[in-house]
Amino acid sequence: DIQMTQSPSTLSASVGDRVTITCRASQSIRSWLAWYQQKPGKAPIILISEASNLESGVPSRFSGSGSGTEFTLTITSLQPDDFATYYCQQYDSYPRSFGQGTKLEIK
Amino acid sequence: DVQLLESGGGLVQPGGSLRLSCAASGFTFRNYVMSWVRQAPGKGLEWVSAVSGSGDQTYYAHSVKGRFTISRDNSKNTLYLQMNSLRAEDTAVYYCAKDRGWNLFIDYWGQGNLVAVSS
């Protein structure tokens, strides 16, 4: 089974900052990686698919990169609405797996 | 618009059973892989299970294999999760989710349904 490891677990930042979250897979998942945003009490929403494909309606300040085993989610110019928890998920094979999450907090 | 509405959650004793349902609308249900994902209180997301559009292929997390059964009724546009031999560690919000396509990612989620396993 593929294990997904995110870092950091918590990230403190200010409005306007640029932040990067890393996700590592225990084996190659090619580009079959998605990023989700989740706010407290709400279901996750899809931000990025296939490692770097920005989903419709997602602001362009979000971007993803990587392939194989190492991936990043970057948010430029943080907005108040971006403070949330972010998860990566591999969909290269079953069982699917998520990273443990990165909580983005206001500094 | 895609809508996924879960039901059937609640409080159950350890060792008990529960069946979750997810009523889907706004898309051609039989054409899409459907999944269940759970989230224990204060914890991260855990993928649980998935079923192919026709229902003939199913996949499970190791933590639930042999205890949970995913199924679907395409005539009713409804997804199910039969949960048996429930344990305290199964306590979570259970999300019904739709995949974008075969071997693709989740693109829509239900609002979630709480299952609490406790004596």
Side-chain angles (χ1 to χ4, degrees):
Chain A
D1 297 358
I2 298 173
Q3 313 302 319
M4 305 300 294
T5 304
Q6 279 181 243
S7 60
S9 296
T10 306
L11 183 55
S12 296
S14 301
V15 172
D17 284 354
R18 178 181 185 272
V19 298
T20 298
I21 298 168
T22 297
C23 178
R24 290 186 173 87
S26 60
Q27 65 190 70
S28 176
I29 57 170
R30 295 170 284 180
S31 294
W32 303 126
L33 184 97
W35 289 98
Y36 297 91
Q37 178 194 68
Q38 187 182 33
K39 295 183 178 179
K42 301 292 188 181
I45 60 170
I46 179 74
L47 299 175
I48 288 171
S49 62
E50 208 171 332
S52 60
N53 182 44
L54 195 67
E55 287 291 305
S56 175
V58 176
S60 59
R61 62 182 179 272
F62 290 89
S63 65
S65 66
S67 66
T69 62
E70 189 150 337
F71 302 86
T72 59
L73 172 70
T74 299
I75 314 171
T76 58
S77 189
L78 273 172
Q79 299 301 300
D81 191 51
D82 300 337
F83 292 95
T85 301
Y86 294 85
Y87 296 91
C88 61
Q89 188 211 10
Q90 66 83 15
Y91 54 100
D92 180 80
S93 63
Y94 287 105
R96 304 286 198 240
S97 45
F98 289 91
Q100 80 276 18
T102 295
K103 185 175 182 180
L104 180 54
E105 298 180 328
I106 300 176
K107 186 184 287 184
Chain B
D1 285 3
V2 171
Q3 291 195 34
L4 302 170
L5 187 61
E6 300 101 337
S7 61
L11 177 63
V12 61
Q13 293 188 336
S17 299
L18 210 56
R19 188 177 83 157
L20 300 181
S21 300
C22 172
S25 61
F27 63 102
T28 305
F29 182 71
R30 65 180 179 274
N31 288 351
Y32 292 92
V33 171
M34 297 294 294
S35 301
W36 290 97
V37 176
R38 69 184 182 183
Q39 187 168 36
K43 303 298 184 183
L45 301 170
E46 180 187 11
W47 180 87
V48 173
S49 184
V51 60
S52 62
S54 62
D56 61 345
Q57 295 179 64
T58 58
Y59 307 91
Y60 296 94
H62 295 301
S63 57
V64 306
K65 198 167 188 177
R67 300 187 299 123
F68 290 12
T69 302
I70 192 171
S71 62
R72 63 193 297 161
D73 185 337
N74 287 343
S75 69
K76 296 181 178 179
N77 288 352
T78 301
L79 175 72
Y80 302 101
L81 185 68
Q82 177 67 43
M83 302 183 292
N84 298 331
S85 303
L86 282 161
R87 307 165 180 166
E89 55 264 35
D90 296 317
T91 294
V93 171
Y94 284 73
Y95 292 101
C96 165
K98 168 192 168 292
D99 283 18
R100 175 69 56 88
W102 179 248
N103 269 338
L104 291 178
F105 55 95
I106 292 170
D107 61 353
Y108 286 96
W109 302 68
Q111 84 287 353
N113 199 220
L114 177 63
V115 171
V117 184
S118 175
S119 53

